[in-house]
Amino acid sequence: MTIEELFAADGPIAAAFPGYTPRAQQVAMAQAVDHAIRQRGRLIAEAGTGTGKTFAYLVPALMSGGKVIVSTGTKTLQDQLYARDLPLVRDLLKVPVTVALLKGRANYVCHYHLERARHEGRFMRREDIADLQKVERYARLTQSGDKAGCAGVAEDAPIWAHVTSTRDNCLGSDCPHHKDCFVLKARKDAQEADVVVVNHHLFFADVWLRDEGAGELLPACNTVIFDEAHQLPEIASLFFGETITSGQLVELARDVRAEALVIAKDYVRLPQASEALEKAVRDFRLAFRPEPARLPQNELATKFKDYEAKLAELIEKLSAVEGELAAQAERAEELQKCHERATALREVLVRWQGGDDEEAVHWVDITPHGFLLHATPLNIAKLFQRQLNSGQRAWVFASATLAVNGQFTHFQHELGLWEAETATWDSPFDYKQQAVLYVPRDMPEANAPGFTAKVIERAWPLLELTQGHAFLLFTSLRAMREAHELVTQKLKDAGLDWPVLLQGQGSRTELLDKFRRSPNAILVASQTFWEGIDVKGEQLSLVVIDKLPFSPPDDPVLSARIGQMQKSGRNAFVDYQLPHAAITLKQGAGRLIRDERDTGILMIGDTRLVDKPYGKLLWKSLPPMFRSRELDTVKRFFEVKRQHGRPQDDQQTDPAPSGEA
């Protein structure tokens, strides 16, 4: 059966979904994916919201008869593909393909660490003990060991750090539970399956292992399909670089101490060295200012007087642990593993101390309670090219947000996809009738004092109009927290008992569930909620974005990339910053309309969208909504739609009328 027949009005897909209407965009995308798979080509595919891109790539993938890896942006989408979409397409096509789900090892219960956690019992909270008991019951019953299936234990619960393994502390074939290992079972299933569903982080972890000659996680395949492909450049930068964290160092120190107490009780220098390392980690963090920051390494010595001394002390204490472990490593495999970890961490730390080179920028990310030391490559295109050229296979890059004003140049340049085929299929939604884009007049400059207060002041009439049902999205955590206080106060003054949810007051899944269940809910969030969120219907009727999402110019990686681009004669703002902002803005705006029956308001508080010459490129990259700068017009649009269906009076035909956003 051909692609056209499968998606036809009398085809198997229509038969399985009453009311299904064939969409030309979906059929065209499926044909393009099918062509790429057959030709072992490279396809960049932007498919607007509602196009049906998941079926458009799954149908030809399952029809191809080859081995396929599908990589997603989030574990939530990964679970959805594995549990719902793939079985459905497989049944529709009646093809005998096997499917496997593979996640990173931190997602699987580890029998060894679960047993160790039970015996050591070093928990500070009663909730951790209760969670441990739930995990124990789950481990006895589950076939997969995937923590997502453990009911009653939150995905971000502290207990998971104690009952899962890392690449560093896994005992491998020396583990007493090696035969029952959930990670090995998942990898074996993946090697044998026809279609394997992974996430981007795991895909690049596999790439990293192959490059290091340390084995592989994923099977060889004929086709790789990336969904939410716009995330790839940032994730690839993370894995093609090097990172060492305070958490890794503290975990090493604690594991050494725990193993020493069991295996080398007579060797007191080992726990003493581990305690000194843990103290050095804390002291290094205290060398920086209390608040979180992202800073280039080459500025640290001048800004923080204790930085160099504390870094040297950290390396010294880590080397001491390494030396003590070397003296005791022969006593047990556990100590040998700790010694290998200490050596690897010291080598990374010494390389980071060496500073920037032409290929990478070294920088520190200071968090409230720790730090991350990064060496980030400035150009990942060359590195990714090695993967593209490693064997004859098809590569498909799909997302709703890859193009900037119809052009894919930015994405192609980031990943070295200069020879890839490109195609765009617009959303079938009637945005001019379903949504209005509102840029208020008389807003202060985006960096002016009081800007966030003005955003909330302008958004308040819209919140009253939509009765909550809103996402308020901010480009910084500081603005998010200020906005939360302002909205809470306005509701109190108005005598309204609407729930206001704040990012950080629970996991993303928990907050979304609360938002969907709560009438009049308002969610205040930062860029964590700009993508991967799907709330249909009137429950989400208003999205407010405070500023254009330009990365801060003092971001160490951005600053280094700008410098590199300027040296090569390129315009960093036009070639990098502006396209990146356009894609991010399109992601945020995409939260509003998720269904053909949705209607809503998108307010952007940053008048640069209208006032600056580059603003036109940004709003032309957004869905073609009705646009207005007048509050009364926006209110009338929404009220007409709510009362009578699609508004007819204020239709806009001119693509960029004078005075409109």
Side-chain angles (χ1 to χ4, degrees), residues 21-92:
T21 303
R23 288 175 176 160
Q25 301 101 317
Q26 190 178 42
V27 176
M29 179 177 170
Q31 290 171 326
V33 172
D34 182 59
H35 178 76
I37 292 174
R38 291 176 185 277
Q39 300 298 316
R40 298 288 190 264
R42 301 167 189 174
L43 172 67
I44 303 173
E46 180 177 272
T49 306
T51 304
K53 66 179 169 66
T54 303
F55 270 38
Y57 67 69
L58 285 182
V59 167
L62 268 62
M63 289 174 61
S64 69
K67 183 99 172 183
V68 180
I69 291 177
V70 181
S71 182
T72 71
T74 63
K75 285 181 285 189
T76 301
L77 180 55
Q78 197 182 352
D79 289 333
Q80 176 184 305
L81 277 169
Y82 176 73
R84 189 189 73 183
D85 297 334
L86 271 164
L88 188 56
V89 173
R90 179 176 57 189
D91 292 345
L92 286 172

Side-chain angles (χ1 to χ4, degrees), residues 201-424:
H201 284 87
L202 183 63
F203 181 89
F204 283 104
D206 178 68
V207 168
W208 182 87
L209 284 174
R210 290 172 191 256
D211 286 350
E212 294 291 311
E216 59 188 44
L217 303 174
L218 305 180
C221 66
N222 305 101
T223 302
V224 178
I225 299 173
F226 293 106
D227 200 344
E228 303 296 330
H230 62 278
Q231 299 177 3
L232 292 179
E234 184 175 346
I235 295 172
S237 293
L238 174 68
F239 279 94
F240 286 138
E242 281 189 325
T243 297
I244 185 169
T245 72
S246 54
Q248 287 175 292
L249 294 166
V250 168
E251 184 181 69
L252 171 66
R254 293 176 180 175
D255 285 350
V256 168
R257 196 153 59 247
E259 299 296 354
L261 290 173
V262 175
I263 299 165
K265 291 180 181 179
D266 57 331
Y267 195 73
V268 296
R269 289 166 60 179
L270 194 50
Q272 288 173 348
S274 71
E275 288 171 5
L277 172 59
E278 197 167 346
K279 181 179 182 300
V281 173
R282 291 195 300 269
D283 290 346
F284 183 75
R285 172 62 183 87
L286 292 172
F288 303 97
R289 62 172 67 98
E291 65 269 17
R294 294 157 61 96
L295 300 162
Q297 186 204 48
N298 56 24
E299 294 181 9
L300 297 179
T302 55
K303 288 187 175 181
F304 307 102
K305 63 178 182 178
D306 294 335
Y307 154 71
E308 289 182 322
K310 295 302 182 185
L311 177 59
E313 183 181 356
L314 180 60
I315 294 174
E316 177 191 336
K317 299 305 181 187
L318 179 56
S319 299
V321 169
E322 181 187 8
E324 300 298 349
L325 283 166
Q328 301 295 309
E330 292 183 357
R331 297 178 70 161
E333 178 67 21
E334 292 87 345
L335 290 178
Q336 177 62 38
K337 285 284 185 181
C338 286
H339 178 247
E340 292 171 1
R341 288 164 61 188
T343 301
L345 289 171
R346 178 187 52 77
E347 289 173 350
V348 173
L349 192 54
V350 169
R351 280 196 295 271
W352 188 86
Q353 184 187 36
D356 297 351
D357 54 46
E358 291 184 0
E359 300 296 327
V361 57
H362 292 214
W363 56 286
V364 60
D365 187 358
I366 303 298
T367 64
H369 305 293
F371 58 83
L372 300 90
L373 308 179
H374 299 281
T376 303
L378 297 177
N379 186 340
I380 61 170
K382 294 178 184 176
L383 299 168
F384 194 65
Q385 274 284 316
R386 291 211 303 263
Q387 312 311 317
L388 293 172
N389 297 327
S390 61
Q392 288 293 313
R393 63 175 60 147
W395 297 81
V396 177
F397 303 83
S399 174
T401 55
L402 290 173
V404 178
N405 198 17
Q407 301 296 315
F408 292 90
T409 309
H410 175 68
F411 184 74
Q412 288 175 290
H413 192 89
E414 290 238 89
L415 292 181
L417 295 168
W418 300 288
E419 298 176 0
E421 295 289 325
T422 63
T424 303

